[in-house]
Amino acid sequence: MHPILASGRRQALYLASWALIGLLLAVAWSAASSRVALPSALAVVVPPCLLYGFVCLSAWHVCRAAPLEARSVLRVLATHAGAGVVAALAWMLAWEGWVRALVGSAVFDAGVLDDYRARLPVVPPAGVMLFWLSSMLHYLLIAFEASRRAEARELGLEVAAREAELRALRAQIDPHFLFNSLQSISALTSSDPAGARRMCLLLADFFRSSVRLGARERILLEQEIELARAYLDIEKVRFGSRLSSEVLLEPGCGTCLIPPLTLQPLVENAVRHGIHSLVDGGVVEVTARCDAEGVCLSVRNPVDVEAVARAGAGVGLDNVKRRLASAFGSGTETRWRREAGSFRVDIRFPREDGVRERAG
Amino acid sequence: MTEQRGRRIRAVVVDDEALSRALILEYLAAHPDVEVVGECANGFEAVRAITELGPDLLFLDVQMPKLDGFEVLELVGGNIDVIFVTAYDSYALRAFEVHAVDYLLKPFGAERFGAALDEARGRLARAEQVPVAQVAASARPRGGHRERILIRAGAKVEVIPVGRIDYVLARDDYVGVMVGGRELLKQQTLADLEGQLDPERFVRIHRSAILNLDRLARLELATRQSYVAVLKDGTELAVSRAGYARLNELL
């Protein structure tokens, strides 16, 4: 699409510029020659100028046929020289036609005609110059459009890449959690049918909320804590007395916002790498605190002192770190350390407050 | 279902989750030819039970406290049929490398369980045995180096993180693993163990010795041609010419 015709605003600006050129030429002409009054000069000059404006729009095709980056300079100049001469000749013909049409009208007397004839030789070089000016304008517009397109493409790519990263980072519930839970239900159906049913309901509740909340960008901290509690309740069925938990949400922090399922992988790790590796299990401690600026979450679990730290345990934590960084930018912190017999993860991110949904 | 043979199949159930063990026992109740002689909740218990009870069949979880299922198998050797029971399908390949009878993915039903049991009956009837070395070799995670080695004395298991090993000596059919002045015997060849250890940290300095590089204090010229490695605790170990070349390359 032609860069000027494509936009009404540009068309208006372009025509206004040509009208201005016509106006200036007319003023200059009437000032230079005593025989030509300004109204006559305007009547003679402005219409051919506007017409030439349209002719010069064709410079776009010339610019496209001779792109600056692809052709040699000489060929570009030759192309424009040719096109400029043709356009200028056409312009001169247009002047002639217009002047003939004006002969005999009120604004056009013999004096004006003589002066016009005297000055006619100026028209072709001026036409060539104006055409080249238009060429330059078109090259500028083409470059401008190209850079805008590239920018948009880059932006689009950036958005796509970011979305892909977020998708990859979106915490997911470990499917083995489901398989193990189903195994527990299967075992309970004969020995403790009521327990099996309770487990089914716990699982259903957990998955319903994790799907519902997981689709959002941010959820309330109290919702995230509730998810962690539900998860631990299910794992308690599986691990029996080996797993107990202490979940603490400091008063006043419930409405802080958190990307959904941020705490979840930490609690999952605590059970999988901590409790699961211990014969007697232990306590998973989850603590959520906040102050005016930030929110602090910590998850602590016992670990087997003798176990060699397994490679790969840090991958889940790196994911949490990257997710927080992409959700909050800077100002987030993820730290973990292993001390004698325990493993502790602390995360900190800026505080933003949300509102509770109305229960309905 | 196969005909009941003269001898009942003696089975041990190993799973750290009580519910999962209970389910296996429940399924087994329908198979009177199988007698459960032991139930274990972790790797150490499993090694002890298998050593002391000598069962024919093992229901074995993979992820457990203390030792994982593969480590248990490495320690008890190969003359036992194993049905793996796990929620993870990622161990299946390794399971079949140790000639597992079957690989049950949790949750599984009674029919699938019965099919695995039929397969085990068939194998027991044919008295097939699994080569020990193969079991030991595949207990190691693929492509990686061992982070700990396992040593069994009777029913007792020692788990030694490799960083605690000072050096290892060849002792006929065994290797003597030196840990803080103690020597622990393990049935393995030195070359086999050498292949399992990280070559950046453990160097075969002699036909009969592997050295933990961290323990090396200095090298001394013993004769005109041969060197001895002096360890930080003063121990001196002979270094062969090839061993000296390997050490030079790393230091």
Side-chain angles (χ1 to χ4, degrees):
Chain A
M1 185 77 197
H2 195 290
I4 290 173
L5 295 181
S7 132
R9 214 165 61 93
R10 282 192 196 161
Q11 280 179 43
L13 261 172
Y14 181 76
L15 279 181
S17 324
W18 277 101
L20 191 66
I21 290 171
L23 187 72
L24 289 175
L25 283 176
V27 169
W29 187 22
S30 77
S33 161
S34 53
R35 284 187 293 174
V36 182
L38 187 60
S40 308
L42 284 173
V44 174
V45 173
V46 173
C49 277
L50 287 177
L51 182 74
Y52 197 50
F54 284 103
V55 172
C56 282
L57 284 175
S58 69
W60 184 61
H61 298 285
V62 182
C63 291
R64 289 225 310 181
L68 286 180
E69 59 273 18
R71 299 276 190 121
S72 72
V73 180
L74 226 65
R75 284 183 69 173
V76 169
L77 288 178
T79 309
H80 282 283
V85 168
V86 171
L89 286 176
W91 195 28
M92 202 168 73
L93 288 177
W95 278 99
E96 275 299 302
W98 176 242
V99 165
R100 274 176 205 197
L102 280 179
V103 169
S105 69
V107 292
F108 207 80
D109 51 38
V112 176
L113 186 64
D114 285 347
D115 210 84
Y116 162 75
R117 289 268 179 251
R119 291 175 198 277
L120 190 60
V122 182
V123 168
V128 172
M129 288 299 194
L130 284 169
F131 188 84
W132 286 353
L133 207 66
S134 169
S135 292
M136 284 197 284
L137 174 72
H138 279 93
Y139 272 131
L140 272 177
L141 283 171
I142 286 170
F144 174 67
E145 296 270 301
S147 91
R148 245 193 19 179
R149 263 201 306 278
E151 210 170 274
R153 200 167 42 236
E154 214 164 271
L155 208 71
L157 281 178
E158 209 170 273
V159 167
R162 213 175 131 79
E163 268 174 8
E165 193 190 341
L166 280 177
R167 241 197 323 279
L169 288 178
R170 185 163 293 158
Q172 281 162 350
I173 311 288
D174 180 2
H176 299 105
F177 161 67
L178 179 61
F179 299 142
N180 281 314
S181 301
L182 291 173
Q183 171 86 348
S184 302
I185 292 174
S186 170
L188 286 168
T189 38
S190 54
S191 61
D192 178 9
R197 178 169 299 162
R198 189 176 147 263
M199 179 78 160
C200 284
L201 298 176
L202 283 173
L203 258 187
D205 281 346
F206 174 76
F207 272 96
R208 189 170 292 125
S209 353
S210 71
V211 167
R212 183 169 57 92
L213 299 173
R216 302 187 194 170
E217 206 165 312
R218 300 265 215 286
I219 62 172
L220 301 182
L221 185 55
E222 62 193 16
Q223 292 172 312
E224 180 76 11
I225 290 279
E226 218 34 66
L227 265 181
R229 280 204 180 104
Y231 176 83
L232 285 166
D233 282 345
I234 294 166
E235 291 290 60
K236 277 175 194 166
V237 176
R238 180 178 156 212
F239 287 102
S241 59
R242 283 166 73 199
L243 172 61
S244 47
S245 64
E246 279 167 23
V247 181
L248 175 95
L249 171 62
E250 204 174 60
C253 302
T255 54
C256 297
L257 290 173
I258 181 170
L261 302 178
T262 304
L263 185 58
Q264 177 63 30
L266 303 180
V267 177
E268 220 172 86
N269 275 351
V271 173
R272 204 163 71 183
H273 301 298
I275 304 303
H276 197 177
S277 71
L278 288 160
V279 174
D280 297 318
V283 183
V284 172
E285 291 167 60
V286 179
T287 314
R289 298 180 200 283
C290 63
D291 53 33
E293 283 94 45
V295 181
C296 282
L297 302 180
S298 83
V299 177
R300 213 172 97 168
N301 61 270
V303 287
D304 187 358
V305 194
E306 287 169 8
V308 180
R310 303 223 170 203
V315 174
L317 295 173
D318 277 335
N319 258 1
V320 169
K321 194 175 181 171
R322 292 224 307 273
R323 271 190 85 210
L324 279 177
S326 82
F328 292 102
S330 59
T332 70
E333 221 179 300
T334 308
R335 283 182 307 174
W336 53 86
R337 64 173 181 274
R338 195 182 149 148
E339 289 161 349
S342 87
F343 186 83
R344 181 187 168 131
V345 186
D346 287 281
I347 61 177
R348 193 183 160 85
F349 52 88
R351 176 176 183 158
E352 285 167 32
D353 274 277
V355 263
R356 284 196 184 93
E357 294 157 63
R358 214 173 281 277
Chain B
M1 203 176 290
T2 344
E3 290 296 304
Q4 193 169 327
R5 297 178 303 126
R7 200 168 70 89
R8 296 174 82 193
I9 297 172
R10 302 174 72 244
V12 166
V13 177
V14 185
D15 195 314
D16 67 314
E17 291 164 36
L19 279 174
S20 204
R21 288 198 305 275
L23 184 66
I24 293 173
L25 294 186
E26 186 195 327
Y27 285 165
L28 279 175
H31 302 270
D33 61 324
V34 181
E35 177 192 3
V36 177
V37 294
E39 268 189 69
C40 310
N42 64 64
F44 282 176
E45 277 181 33
V47 171
R48 191 181 312 129
I50 296 161
T51 315
E52 287 171 358
L53 303 169
D56 310 304
L57 180 62
L58 198 57
F59 292 93
L60 185 61
D61 192 3
V62 177
Q63 293 192 337
M64 289 181 296
K66 300 297 182 191
L67 302 172
D68 72 28
F70 292 101
E71 290 171 328
V72 168
L73 285 185
E74 184 200 349
L75 283 166
V76 299
N79 50 356
I80 185 166
D81 280 316
V82 182
I83 296 175
F84 279 98
V85 180
T86 173
Y88 295 82
D89 49 13
S90 50
Y91 302 114
L93 213 58
R94 273 173 79 194
F96 287 102
E97 278 174 5
V98 300
H99 298 268
V101 172
D102 208 338
Y103 192 86
L104 292 176
L105 276 173
K106 296 177 183 178
F108 48 86
E111 259 179 48
R112 178 73 187 78
F113 184 82
L117 210 49
D118 277 344
E119 177 67 27
R121 286 191 189 99
R123 277 219 202 175
L124 283 166
R126 295 191 298 272
E128 284 174 15
Q129 294 236 322
V130 182
V132 182
Q134 212 151 7
V135 173
S138 43
R140 175 173 74 254
R142 331 179 117 247
H145 302 293
R146 302 204 66 146
E147 286 163 345
R148 55 190 199 174
I149 64 167
L150 310 170
I151 294 170
R152 179 170 69 101
K156 193 171 168 288
V157 175
E158 291 222 40
V159 178
I160 314 283
V162 293
R164 282 183 51 209
I165 299 173
D166 300 324
Y167 55 98
V168 187
L169 299 173
R171 301 275 193 226
D172 299 325
D173 291 344
Y174 290 81
V175 290
V177 181
M178 306 301 294
V179 179
R182 281 193 307 151
E183 177 167 3
L184 304 162
L185 287 179
K186 180 178 166 71
Q187 192 172 15
Q188 192 175 19
T189 66
L190 200 62
D192 193 19
L193 181 61
E194 185 192 4
Q196 296 179 353
L197 295 170
D198 182 355
E200 305 264 294
R201 296 168 66 194
F202 292 89
V203 187
R204 183 85 176 259
I205 56 166
H206 192 270
R207 191 166 37 83
S208 65
I210 297 172
L211 173 65
N212 182 349
L213 269 187
D214 282 349
R215 303 296 193 272
L216 180 68
R218 61 186 183 276
L219 283 171
E220 278 180 4
L221 205 56
T223 65
R224 199 175 307 157
Q225 291 263 312
S226 67
Y227 287 85
V228 286
V230 180
L231 310 197
K232 286 171 181 162
D233 65 357
T235 311
E236 296 188 356
L237 295 173
V239 179
S240 67
R241 205 177 300 168
Y244 181 72
R246 279 193 282 269
L247 274 173
N248 249 346
E249 208 169 293
L250 279 167
L251 295 172

